[in-house]
């Protein structure tokens, strides 16, 4: 049974054939759309490497059936920067050494973008750590990640009225 | 994952009709179902996508003071609904102690109630498991039993139900609203999940095609708002299932307990409410002696199902601690680590 779904991926509306309903959002992004930023760490919801935003909310794309998301807006790490201008969360990860090998990083960054939108953690590092606990980092860059999230959150709240592309999607 | 037919339901009657076919399963967010399908544990031949059913995502206050949680309400939306969290703080705390922010953003209320056990032998198709393949035996018995049951288990199955959400819900007398081929019915959550007995493959009272449409909290449930806690012992600080957990809720009047609620998680194949403990607490002063007696009563029938006798005393202590915390009053804001038994850590203590 083959059918099409429509997704707006990083701002572009696309009609995407689904040859087999078994495909997850993660496999669709990586294999069909060649957006390999979202990583397949565990494929079972246990690591967060596949985190993307769906309709503005961070989820694990490995445990989402693509067919079920017909009509949704997807934001991946590839859609975050504006040309050469990095998103404040990306900048903060560089400033604070929020990664080492980089494998978990697209998931960490998308998760951080989602966390900042959720606006539940405030400036409490413990709440930030708790809210980022769905993203594992085997290199143990956690200290830098927490600092990066806090700083990016501050930067984003300062230029709040001007919506950036990544924020508006 | 075996091939399946994908069906998108547009109304409840259509979902029930499509879901009643042999081999059909309802798909909500898929955070449990897809995981099990990838592992070959769940093998549906038809997925009935219920995520677009109209009106099922709402959290509605009822005229009688109760609340109706739509089956499709996302775990995070429910936990962060200010009015809901204020009225049922232990439910919000339990939700936020579960899984991760990403999973909670996707997971639905009914999916959480319906999630399957995390027994490692159940999730490994190479192991014998009476729940996955009736009559094949139970490889958990005599195996790794750290997360297995101490209450209500049988020789056929010693698994636990892993939900956090269900624990305060059962304490607060929640009901499960069900739509089926024969109409709708309301079943108390307390009798919704079945203990294993000789048929561990029958997990709930749902009949083929029946669909959860909502979870309902009665008006009395909000009376515990001032004295409610959910505590959860985990093998790591966050993003882990409960080893054991406890939901405690008290209604205090004139320095005495007018009414108490106590339920345990991670101890049985269902969220375990202890009416004996609740009865003992009524009329007592909220002190250590009363709480210990209640905890003893709650665990009176407990037996290890393997190498897990430690869970019995751990559950008693956690029950005492949850009751003590509830008596001290619901915190104005949920703790930074919801459900955690660890004291707030100093900066960067556990990174
Ligand atoms: C890594 C990880 C960690 C987790 N940690 C925790 C934790 O600490 N605490 C915790 O409580 N949970 C935890 N979970 C489980 C999580 O809460 C569940 O996966 C989630 O709640 C399931 O909801 P869903 O909407 O994704 O359901 P689905 O996966 O879509 O469905 C689950 C089951 O429910 C059935 N179903 C769904 N909706 C209905 C309905 N309306 N009527 C009848 N049947 C229905 C489906 O057919 C399926 O059998 C964790 C999950 C993962 C992957
Ligand atoms: S404890 Fe239950 S779920 Fe686990 S292997 Fe035994 S029968 Fe299966
Ligand atoms: S790849 Fe999705 S959570 Fe690990
Ligand atoms: S940077 Fe290597 S896993 Fe996180």
């Amino acid at each position: 049974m083959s059918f099409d779904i429509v997704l707006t991926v990083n701002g572009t509306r696309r009609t995407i054939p689904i040859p087999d309903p078994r495909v997850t959002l993660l496999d669709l992004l990586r294999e069909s759309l060649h957006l390999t930023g979202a990583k397949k760490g565990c494929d079972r919801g246990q690591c967060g490497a596949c985190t993307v935003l769906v309709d503005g909310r961070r989820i694990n794309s490995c445990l989402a059936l693509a067919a079920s998301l017909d009509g949704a807006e997807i934001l991946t790490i590839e859609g975050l920067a504006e040309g050469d201008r990095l998103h404040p969360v990306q900048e903060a990860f560089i400033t604070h050494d929020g990664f080492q090998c980089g494998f978990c990083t697209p998931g960490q960054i998308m998760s951080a973008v989602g966390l900042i939108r959720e606006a539940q953690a405030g400036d409490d590092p413990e709440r930030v750590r708790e809210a980022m606990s769905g993203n594992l980092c085997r290199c143990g860059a956690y200290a830098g990640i927490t600092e990066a999230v806090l700083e990016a959150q501050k930067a984003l709240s300062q230029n709040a009225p001007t919506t950036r592309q990544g924020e508006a999607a | 994952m075996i091939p399946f037919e994908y069906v998108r339901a547009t109304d409840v009657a259509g979902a029930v009709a499509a879901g009643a076919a042999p081999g059909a399963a309802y798909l909500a967010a898929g955070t449990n179902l897809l995981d099990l399908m990838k592992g070959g544990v769940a093998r549906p031949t038809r997925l009935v996508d219920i995520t677009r059913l109209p009106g099922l995502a709402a959290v509605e206050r009822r005229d009688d003071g109760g609340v109706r949680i739509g089956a499709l309400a996302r775990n995070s939306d429910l936990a962060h609904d200010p009015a809901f969290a204020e009225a049922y703080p232990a439910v919000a705390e339990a939700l936020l102690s579960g899984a991760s922010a990403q999973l909670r953003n996707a997971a639905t209320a009914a999916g959480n109630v319906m999630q399957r056990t995390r027994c490692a032998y159940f999730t490994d198709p190479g192991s014998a498991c009476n729940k996955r393949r009736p009559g094949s035996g139970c490889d958990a018995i005599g195996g790794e039993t750290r997360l297995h049951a101490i209450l209500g288990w049988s020789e056929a199955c010693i698994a636990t139900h892993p939900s956090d959400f269900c624990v305060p819900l059962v304490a607060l007398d929640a009901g499960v609203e069900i739509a089926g081929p024969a109409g709708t019915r309301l079943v108390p959550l307390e009798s919704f999940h079945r203990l294993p007995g000789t048929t561990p493959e029958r997990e709930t009272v749902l009949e083929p095609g029946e669909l959860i449409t909502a979870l309902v909290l009665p008006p009395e449930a909000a009376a515990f708002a001032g004295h409610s806690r959910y505590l959860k012992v985990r093998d790591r600080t966050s993003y882990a299932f409960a080893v054991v957990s406890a939901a405690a809720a008290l209604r205090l009047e004139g320095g005495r307990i007018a009414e108490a609620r106590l339920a345990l998680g991670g101890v049985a194949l269902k969220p375990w409410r202890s009416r004996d403990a609740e009865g003992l607490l009524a009329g007592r002063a909220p002190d250590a002696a009363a709480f210990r007696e209640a905890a003893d009563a709650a665990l009176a029938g407990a037996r290890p199902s393997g190498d897990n006798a430690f869970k019995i005393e751990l559950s008693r202590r956690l029950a005492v601690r949850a009751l003590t915390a509830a008596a001290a009053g619901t915190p104005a804001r949920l703790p930074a680590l919801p459900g955690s038994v660890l004291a707030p850590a100093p900066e960067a203590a556990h990174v």
Side-chain angles (χ1 to χ4, degrees):
Chain A
M1 186 182 58
S2 171
F3 53 98
D4 291 347
I5 62 169
V6 176
L7 294 178
T8 302
V9 182
N10 298 330
T12 307
R13 202 178 138 90
R14 324 176 54 149
T15 300
I16 304 161
I18 303 283
D20 182 326
R22 287 179 285 184
V23 68
T24 61
L25 176 61
L26 177 62
D27 286 339
L28 185 86
L29 290 170
R30 292 181 56 86
E31 310 295 335
S32 303
L33 306 184
H34 307 293
L35 293 169
T36 55
K39 297 288 182 273
K40 189 183 278 196
C42 65
D43 210 21
R44 305 299 274 269
Q46 297 178 5
C47 75
C50 64
T51 303
V52 301
L53 301 195
V54 173
D55 293 329
R57 297 155 64 102
R58 51 179 167 156
I59 62 141
N60 305 94
S61 61
C62 70
L63 289 185
L65 198 70
S68 182
L69 298 178
D70 193 3
E73 287 194 12
I74 316 291
L75 183 65
T76 73
I77 190 76
E78 289 89 346
L80 213 50
E82 272 181 68
D84 285 342
R85 197 163 130 238
L86 293 182
H87 185 278
V89 175
Q90 293 173 306
E91 275 171 7
F93 266 68
I94 294 171
T95 309
H96 291 278
D97 278 339
F99 50 86
Q100 196 180 94
C101 77
F103 185 84
C104 72
T105 312
Q108 300 277 3
I109 289 176
M110 294 316 293
S111 190
V113 172
L115 178 159
I116 293 167
R117 288 184 183 200
E118 287 159 19
Q120 295 290 337
D123 57 4
D124 178 354
E126 189 74 313
R127 286 182 194 267
V128 168
R129 281 193 288 269
E130 165 63 22
M132 289 295 290
S133 72
N135 294 83
L136 304 192
C137 174
R138 296 307 300 266
C139 299
Y142 296 112
I145 291 169
T146 305
E147 286 165 16
V149 175
L150 286 165
E151 182 185 289
Q153 180 167 259
K154 212 154 120 208
L156 281 163
S157 70
Q158 277 157 6
N159 20 337
T162 52
T163 26
R164 299 170 50 93
Q165 187 211 333
E167 291 308 291
Chain B
M1 204 187 288
I2 62 166
F4 57 81
E5 176 199 7
Y6 173 78
V7 180
R8 193 176 287 162
T10 51
D11 57 32
V12 169
V16 166
Y26 291 123
L27 174 75
T31 61
N32 187 225
L33 184 57
L34 290 179
D35 188 5
L36 292 170
M37 287 167 67
K38 287 180 186 189
V41 178
R43 302 167 66 82
T45 48
R46 169 190 280 181
L47 278 196
V48 181
D49 184 345
I50 58 171
T51 55
R52 284 156 210 258
L53 292 180
L56 288 194
V59 181
E60 295 160 7
R61 241 122 249 286
R62 310 222 298 196
D63 292 342
D64 65 2
V67 68
R68 183 176 180 276
I69 305 163
L72 295 175
R74 307 286 171 168
N75 287 194
S76 56
D77 290 341
L78 187 57
H80 292 308
D81 175 325
F84 183 86
E86 196 183 319
Y88 316 103
V91 181
E93 186 163 18
L95 283 166
L96 294 177
S97 78
S100 66
Q102 290 95 313
L103 287 159
R104 295 190 296 266
N105 274 345
T108 63
N112 191 312
V113 171
M114 288 295 292
Q115 65 175 300
R116 319 283 301 274
T117 182
R118 305 305 281 204
C119 170
Y121 304 92
F122 170 73
T123 48
D124 166 28
S127 297
C129 170
N130 287 323
K131 184 186 273 301
R132 186 169 23 76
R133 259 188 79 215
S136 65
C138 170
D139 275 349
I141 295 175
E144 288 282 337
T145 50
R146 183 171 171 75
L147 294 179
H148 286 77
I150 52 171
L151 284 162
W153 54 270
S154 72
E155 295 302 327
C157 177
I158 61 171
T160 54
H161 192 263
S163 167
D164 294 300
F165 181 44
C166 286
V167 181
L169 281 184
V170 81
L172 294 175
D173 252 340
V176 185
E177 188 188 282
I178 299 166
T184 60
R185 57 187 183 128
L186 189 71
V187 175
L189 179 60
E190 199 176 358
S191 45
F192 179 79
H193 297 98
R194 305 165 66 114
L195 288 174
T198 53
T199 52
E201 72 279 10
R202 300 206 56 194
E203 300 183 338
T204 70
V205 300
L206 287 189
E207 299 293 337
E210 282 193 319
L211 175 80
I212 299 178
T213 47
L215 303 165
V216 180
L217 281 168
E220 312 80 68
F224 298 91
H227 295 275
S228 299
R229 283 306 297 276
Y230 180 72
L231 292 181
K232 173 179 178 186
V233 176
R234 285 159 273 192
D235 284 337
R236 62 182 180 194
T237 309
S238 182
Y239 201 12
F241 286 95
V243 177
V244 299
S245 69
L250 301 172
R251 197 157 58 71
L252 299 180
E253 266 170 27
R256 305 225 149 233
I257 300 169
E259 197 181 354
R261 300 288 175 86
L262 181 67
L264 301 171
V267 296
L269 203 45
K270 59 191 274 185
W272 192 269
R273 180 165 174 189
S274 177
R275 290 177 183 270
D276 290 347
E278 294 174 4
L280 271 171
L281 287 168
R284 298 280 299 267
D287 58 26
F291 295 156
R292 183 70 203 189
E293 268 177 57
D296 285 344
L299 277 300
R303 288 180 303 143
S305 60
D307 242 354
N308 54 14
F310 75 96
K311 287 178 70 167
I312 300 175
E313 181 57 17
L314 188 61
S315 302
R316 283 195 198 102
R317 293 185 189 185
L318 192 67
V320 169
R321 194 146 157 195
L323 286 163
T324 309
T330 306
R333 186 179 179 201
L334 269 183
L337 305 176
S340 178
V341 292
L342 305 176
E347 170 57 13
H350 55 79
V351 292

